[in-house]
Amino acid sequence: MGDAMSGPLRKLARLLVSLGQASAEVSAHPDDSAQLRYRPMSLPPDWLEALREHHEFILTTLADAGGSVPPGDSYVLGERLGTADELGLPTHPGSAAWLIAVGESVGARR
């Protein structure tokens, strides 16, 4: 039986987890909410390409951070954010811990 997660979602999940593991942060640009802002500003070219490819999903997820991640597993999201919070890590939308939690949540989709 094949993996139920599509190629684009798998790529998105890996990107978000990789960004979080690299301690990157992502947010809507303060001057243009239709664009992403990320730190550090120098990211690998393949990550930049993937950010461009998935920017609509990321912006929507950042904007809807109070709700659930549409294609993700809400249990995984809550568990990962709770663990990060207990460790005293920042968990605000776009933070490294949040990116990992959302990426793992999307990756857990069955």
Side-chain angles (χ1 to χ4, degrees), residues 4-105:
M5 188 168 47
S6 71
L9 277 180
R10 185 177 299 114
K11 184 177 178 181
L12 172 63
R14 282 194 307 257
L15 169 68
L16 295 175
V17 171
S18 294
L19 286 166
Q21 290 172 337
S23 298
E25 290 202 9
V26 178
S27 64
H29 195 284
D31 297 329
D32 182 357
S33 62
Q35 298 300 316
L36 286 173
R37 178 174 70 174
Y38 45 86
R39 292 186 182 117
M41 301 235 354
S42 58
L43 294 175
D46 56 327
W47 289 6
L48 294 173
E49 180 183 330
L51 280 171
R52 281 189 293 275
E53 180 181 339
H54 297 289
H55 90 278
E56 287 294 327
F57 175 89
I58 295 169
L59 283 171
T60 300
T61 304
L62 284 164
D64 295 340
S68 63
V69 178
D73 182 311
S74 61
Y75 175 80
V76 170
L77 178 66
E79 190 273 333
R80 299 305 188 271
L81 288 175
T83 298
D85 193 48
E86 288 174 8
L87 293 171
L89 299 171
T91 57
H92 61 275
S95 68
W98 185 87
L99 290 167
I100 291 171
V102 172
E104 290 184 356
S105 171

